[in-house]
Amino acid sequence: MAGKNPLQKCFLFIILSLNLMSLHAETGQKKTYVVHMDKSAMPSPYTNHLQWYSSKIDSVTDPKSHEEEGNRILYTYQTAFHGLAARLSKEEAEKLEKEPGVVAVIPETRYELHTTRSPKFLGLERQESERVWAERVTDHDVIVGVLDTGIWPESESFNDTGMSPVPSTWRGACETGRGFLRSNCNRKIVGAKVFYRGYEAATGKIDQELEYRSPRDKDGHGTHTAATVAGSPVRGANLLGFAYGTARGMAPKARVAAYKVCWVGGCFSSDILSAVDQAVADGVHVLSISLGGGISTYSRDSLAIATFGAMEMGVFVSCSAGNGGPDPISLTNVSPWITTVGASTMDRDFPATVKLGTTRVFKGVSLYKGRTVLSRAKQYPLVYLGRNASSPDPTSFCLDGALDQHNVAGKIVICDRGVTPRVQKGQVVKRAGGVGMILTNTATNGEELVADCHLLPAVAVGEKEGKVIKEYAMTSKRATASLEILGTRVGIKPSPVVAAFSSRGPNFLSLEILKPDLLAPGVNILAAWSGDMAPSSLSSDKRRVNFNILSGTSMSCPHVSGVAALIRSRHPDWSPAAVKSALMTTAYVHDNMLEPLTDAAGAEPSSPYDHGAGHIDPLKAMDPGLVYDIGPQEYFDFLCTQELSPSQLKVFTKHSNRSCRHSLAGNNPGNLNYPAISALFPENTHVKAMTLRRTVTNVGPHVSSYKVSLSPFKGATVTVQPKTLNFTTKHQKLSYTVTFRTKLRMKRPEFGGLLWKSSTHKVRSPVIITWLPPL
């Protein structure tokens, strides 16, 4: 079972080929490499690791280059893992990898950001979240490290009124720089640091006219995610009157440490790894990382290696799944010790309508509010410059410079979604003299609607409505339309719905590990914003706001980070795996109409490859009854099943004292004690039965009895032994087995659920059965 199947091997070959093509430097050209070192291999003459690392770099580089270029070492890493980041040519990197004590040399990777009402929608009313915190707030202070674009400290979301002094165990600090003073930190923002050496080595010096070389956030993304995690309550929060109400983070009593790793030109792995290393050393309890950089094998994924070290130190790590949906196999951040978060809608929307000259009305969304208002009583000429209503072409995307003023002046212009940012299309229309825009989804986005803070009256509509509107504009000689923006509505049904952009499984690195892990709100999320950036993020937009509405798995990730902080406040002794288990086994898979969760990309029921274990339920996650715990050694034994060589495994053995103990029965990665259960039948059709094992820990009532129930499967009979788990003490561990016997090899994976139910708790695990195609 440990061997990769042909599909996985092909997929990984493509990944590695692309990585090698895109990341390896040309001969002689210097670029940044992350070098993983075996700490225990340092020879005795050296008194510290920096001396040793420097000698290693000197041994493979020309001494003259040091005089010309200065120190090649950008960072050293010593907490989450051991090693350094250095500027090297391809030849030097290859030489270094052969040196004793060097475990791996990995090229720099560029990462991208995965870019209100959510506490109430999640059941975290003010009294509920404060009740959770009040129990142990005095002796267990939770600090969340947010790796992002920095923080805007003046936001009311970071007001520290009523907060207790910063815990003495906190080892972080506040770095100063342009626009950021030590006094910008307080009892809410307890740390703020910048990481730019890798970025500057790749792109040149930061232009301080364009951004702050300090923790201050010009972009807004980092402020938004930090406030979503732990923002203090702010009454009357809104975006230009939309989403008016009290904005608060998931864990309003938690503290935030901002680690600025992302800049105008992206986020670079050497900087990200230094931030993870520093955050763990500082003493964060939770790491929130709303960015991703494609997918690599575990031993070549520097973020996977660094977060493994963070997990060993007891830090819960939450990462965004990515915005590559609805395409399958579009996930990032798939390591089992990372909690991978997809995005869903909430029950709040910002409706708008398009009324055609035929009097037919179509529903859409918009966050436009400005001086230009289109009359409801008047119809405006309507134009679509594409050649086909069903398939977009270069003329239909409203690209910069593509619109002729003679064709669009005084008209409402239909623009297809894609290629360029949605709000930028409206700017192009406005500059060409258009009075309004209808933004139409294509097949990529289906019926999913994302509201934007447009620069002119604009309404976004789904693919089906868009086709009808475009057909009308192309076939009617005097096509007209009017637009109406309707404000904020709540109680939207159905919700939640899986966002079309949310990245999807399966996890081709390890099909036995279900990814994403779960869903959280990620569409139209209101949170704090930078005072230096317009709500549209366009330089021509001179508007400034205190709060903004954004969408992306970047927004769903901090929801989970904040709820994890709430769980840690109540259960400070829980491992990261126990926290993840609580989130997954209490997640729900039905919407507010009591129907199975659906997918915005097609309105069909979604599967665990889309929604993971389901949608987070914070209050239930505080008290899950049972947890599936996993320790660092078990995660390492999982890696031992992944066809990694001893030297590749060594990058995960920070203290070099971990070895493969083969604790997973049958060396089957499906036996990792994961809260989701995935049976992977190999290509060999003679294998007709498989047994997987799980162990649950009682964290509920000391004396309790759980009975199992299973959903039916067409392709296999599934049996669980024992069928009842009787606990007599708290923290007692009991094991069970799940046996799968093939009846009919299905061409597609089958999905279902396994439920342990007591008089007080329900503990649910998604179950996936996959039959690999015969050889």
Side-chain angles (χ1 to χ4, degrees):
M1 284 300 297
K4 296 285 179 203
N5 68 77
L7 286 174
Q8 285 173 291
K9 286 177 179 172
C10 174
F11 181 68
L12 293 180
F13 174 76
I14 293 167
I15 291 169
L16 292 171
S17 299
L18 290 172
N19 282 350
L20 289 169
M21 284 191 292
S22 62
L23 292 174
H24 272 303
E26 294 175 10
T27 302
Q29 184 182 341
K30 305 290 188 299
K31 66 164 294 175
T32 303
Y33 288 82
V34 175
V35 184
H36 296 268
M37 302 291 290
D38 179 357
K39 181 184 177 184
S40 66
M42 184 177 77
S44 53
Y46 297 103
T47 56
N48 63 59
H49 287 87
L50 182 57
Q51 281 183 345
W52 183 41
Y53 297 162
S54 297
S55 76
K56 285 291 183 190
I57 299 299
D58 290 345
S59 71
V60 299
T61 57
D62 181 354
K64 292 179 183 176
S65 70
H66 290 263
E67 297 171 18
E68 298 166 6
E69 301 169 23
N71 192 357
R72 297 279 201 97
I73 296 177
L74 303 179
Y75 294 109
T76 60
Y77 309 114
Q78 52 196 352
T79 305
F81 67 104
H82 294 288
L84 63 150
R87 298 284 291 170
L88 301 166
S89 69
K90 183 182 177 185
E91 293 78 13
E92 290 166 347
E94 288 172 350
K95 278 189 207 171
L96 186 62
E97 197 153 24
K98 296 170 185 173
E99 286 284 310
V102 176
V103 177
V105 179
I106 302 175
E108 176 93 279
T109 306
R110 185 172 178 271
Y111 287 70
E112 297 286 352
L113 293 164
H114 289 148
T115 211
T116 181
R117 182 170 162 76
S118 46
K120 191 170 184 179
F121 176 65
L122 293 172
L124 282 175
E125 296 280 13
R126 181 180 176 188
Q127 61 270 26
E128 292 288 358
S129 55
E130 290 190 354
R131 175 179 61 77
V132 169
W133 276 96
E135 295 192 15
R136 303 198 179 198
V137 70
T138 52
D139 40 0
H140 295 289
D141 234 325
V142 181
I143 298 170
V144 182
V146 181
L147 274 63
D148 217 294
T149 62
I151 199 162
W152 190 263
E154 289 81 10
S155 170
E156 276 299 300
S157 291
F158 307 120
N159 188 319
D160 67 351
T161 302
M163 295 193 74
S164 58
V166 178
S168 59
T169 53
W170 174 244
R171 298 176 292 277
C174 282
E175 291 183 1
T176 58
R178 187 171 82 88
F180 204 92
L181 306 173
R182 193 159 276 111
S183 60
N184 287 132
C185 284
N186 56 17
R187 293 179 176 184
K188 169 63 77 173
I189 304 172
V190 297
K193 295 183 178 179
V194 292
F195 302 84
Y196 52 76
R197 293 177 197 165
Y199 176 72
E200 287 195 336
T203 65
K205 289 287 184 185
I206 289 168
D207 184 348
Q208 295 226 48
E209 294 297 313
L210 294 177
E211 55 187 329
Y212 297 96
R213 201 167 177 240
S214 76
R216 183 168 290 279
D217 177 21
K218 185 177 179 71
D219 180 273
H221 190 280
T223 300
H224 197 280
T225 55
T228 301
V229 172
S232 301
V234 181
R235 291 183 179 178
N238 67 92
L239 169 62
L240 305 175
F242 292 97
Y244 187 93
T246 298
R248 67 168 64 82
M250 296 293 97
K253 296 281 180 71
R255 304 176 199 270
V256 170
Y259 298 88
K260 186 172 180 178
V261 298
C262 293
W263 308 87
V264 166
C267 330
F268 285 76
S269 58
S270 59
D271 298 328
I272 295 165
L273 301 184
S274 187
V276 171
D277 196 56
Q278 186 63 59
V280 175
D282 289 345
V284 302
H285 305 95
V286 174
L287 273 173
S288 189
I289 306 176
S290 286
L291 43 87
I295 192 167
S296 302
T297 55
Y298 295 110
S299 63
R300 304 294 288 178
D301 183 343
S302 289
L303 187 57
I305 296 164
T307 53
F308 186 93
M311 172 273 298
E312 285 187 294
M313 305 288 280
V315 178
F316 176 91
V317 182
S318 173
C319 290
S320 45
N323 297 341
D327 292 341
I329 325 171
S330 49
L331 291 163
T332 64
N333 305 318
V334 298
S335 299
W337 48 89
I338 289 173
T339 299
T340 311
V341 188
S344 62
T345 65
M346 294 192 302
D347 64 343
R348 178 183 65 197
D349 211 349
F350 305 100
T353 59
V354 176
K355 186 177 182 180
L356 301 183
T358 60
T359 71
R360 190 170 176 183
V361 177
F362 298 87
K363 293 179 180 179
V365 296
S366 182
L367 291 170
Y368 173 74
K369 188 169 187 179
R371 293 175 184 173
T372 304
V373 180
L374 300 184
S375 170
R376 291 168 57 187
K378 182 180 175 183
Q379 286 278 307
Y380 297 83
L382 179 67
V383 62
Y384 176 61
L385 300 175
R387 291 188 288 270
N388 187 320
S390 298
S391 56
D393 57 58
T395 59
S396 69
F397 287 113
C398 300
L399 306 180
D400 202 12
L403 299 185
D404 187 335
Q405 191 167 352
H406 295 294
N407 292 331
V408 304
K411 298 177 182 178
I412 294 173
V413 182
I414 303 168
C415 300
D416 283 318
R417 183 174 167 183
V419 184
T420 55
R422 299 180 299 271
V423 178
Q424 190 173 314
K425 296 175 188 291
Q427 183 184 43
V428 171
V429 171
K430 187 176 182 180
R431 283 177 177 168
V435 296
M437 176 178 72
I438 300 171
L439 184 66
T440 57
N441 277 4
T442 62
T444 302
N445 309 103
E447 302 312 306
E448 172 189 66
L449 298 179
V450 177
D452 292 298
C453 198
H454 291 284
L455 292 166
L456 83 172
V459 176
V461 298
E463 182 195 15
K464 292 175 185 173
E465 291 87 348
K467 281 183 181 178
V468 177
I469 295 169
K470 287 186 282 189
E471 286 282 2
Y472 166 69
M474 293 172 72
T475 56
S476 174
K477 291 182 180 179
R478 293 188 179 180
T480 60
S482 62
L483 310 178
E484 186 175 3
I485 318 297
L486 299 173
T488 306
R489 299 278 168 87
V490 295
I492 301 297
K493 293 183 178 182
S495 63
V497 172
V498 179
F501 61 74
S502 187
S503 288
R504 313 304 169 94
N507 167 16
F508 252 65
L509 265 190
S510 306
L511 285 168
E512 299 88 351
I513 304 299
L514 174 67
K515 291 286 177 172
D517 289 306
L518 37 73
L519 293 178
V523 178
N524 298 334
I525 304 300
L526 179 80
W529 192 241
S530 166
D532 248 10
M533 183 62 71
S536 66
S537 294
L538 296 176
S539 58
S540 60
D541 185 356
K542 302 307 177 187
R543 296 173 297 179
R544 294 295 179 265
V545 295
N546 294 324
F547 291 83
N548 201 5
I549 291 172
L550 299 182
S551 297
T553 54
S554 274
M555 283 62 252
S556 53
C557 168
H559 279 84
V560 169
S561 309
V563 176
L566 282 175
I567 296 172
R568 283 294 295 265
S569 74
R570 179 177 281 197
H571 306 288
D573 57 332
W574 280 13
S575 69
V579 175
K580 176 196 272 198
S581 174
L583 289 162
M584 289 177 68
T585 61
T586 58
Y588 55 87
V589 291
H590 290 84
D591 59 30
N592 57 2
M593 297 176 72
L594 303 181
E595 296 292 333
L597 293 176
T598 54
D599 186 346
E604 296 296 319
S606 60
S607 82
Y609 285 164
D610 310 317
H611 61 239
H615 192 282
I616 58 166
D617 189 330
L619 293 179
K620 286 186 177 176
M622 302 297 155
D623 180 22
L626 305 175
V627 293
Y628 293 84
D629 208 356
I630 307 173
Q633 180 62 44
E634 291 162 278
Y635 281 124
F636 188 76
D637 282 343
F638 162 80
L639 289 168
C640 296
T641 70
Q642 298 300 295
E643 294 189 338
L644 301 179
S645 68
S647 62
Q648 289 172 329
L649 284 169
K650 215 170 181 77
V651 300
F652 294 95
T653 58
K654 185 178 63 166
H655 305 293
S656 72
N657 60 353
R658 220 177 272 290
S659 60
C660 294
R661 296 181 188 170
H662 307 293
S663 63
L664 307 188
N667 212 32
N668 182 348
N671 276 315
L672 182 68
N673 201 39
Y674 214 67
I677 298 169
S678 181
L680 180 64
F681 280 92
E683 303 90 338
N684 184 348
T685 56
H686 295 299
V687 178
K688 297 188 180 298
M690 179 184 303
T691 297
L692 299 180
R693 179 186 174 90
R694 290 292 187 271
T695 300
V696 286
T697 304
N698 181 26
V699 294
H702 292 214
V703 178
S704 53
S705 180
Y706 287 81
K707 290 187 176 180
V708 75
S709 60
L710 267 169
S711 55
F713 292 87
K714 292 179 182 177
T717 56
V718 185
T719 54
V720 179
Q721 288 295 336
K723 292 180 169 47
T724 304
L725 297 176
N726 295 310
F727 293 92
T728 55
T729 60
K730 194 160 190 176
H731 300 137
Q732 181 182 358
K733 294 178 184 290
L734 292 176
S735 297
Y736 67 91
T737 59
V738 187
T739 300
F740 302 84
R741 290 185 177 83
T742 297
K743 292 189 294 185
L744 174 66
R745 289 182 74 97
M746 307 293 283
K747 292 182 179 179
R748 292 174 177 269
E750 270 205 276
F751 304 104
L754 179 151
L755 182 72
W756 288 103
K757 185 177 179 182
S758 73
S759 59
T760 55
H761 292 86
K762 292 178 180 178
V763 184
R764 185 185 178 279
S765 291
V767 178
I768 304 100
I769 311 175
T770 306
W771 291 268
L772 295 177
L775 289 173

